Amino acid sequence: MTDPMATTLLLLARRAPDATICPSEVARAIAPDWRGAMPAVHAAVDGLVHDGRVRLSWKGRTLATRSGPYRIGRSGDD
């Protein structure tokens, strides 16, 4: 399995500055069994949020922490 933190940042870097990605996109990029990779993706996203490297949102609203469905965006793109 590829590093989910690095993959998250790479996928974001390939998108428009204000674009977001779905955590399942990260999981699909790092493992053939993407559903099995989701816990690692969630943990990586939690770390990136804690470090201020990404932000979370859902339906245009910023989320302080990961809870339920969410999208991942670059930090500072609010």
Side-chain angles (χ1 to χ4, degrees), residues 2-26:
T2 307
D3 176 37
M5 278 188 171
T7 302
T8 299
L9 296 173
L10 178 66
L11 290 172
L12 284 172
R14 292 180 177 170
R15 302 285 173 91
D18 61 344
T20 62
I21 60 172
C22 181
S24 67
E25 292 177 63
V26 179

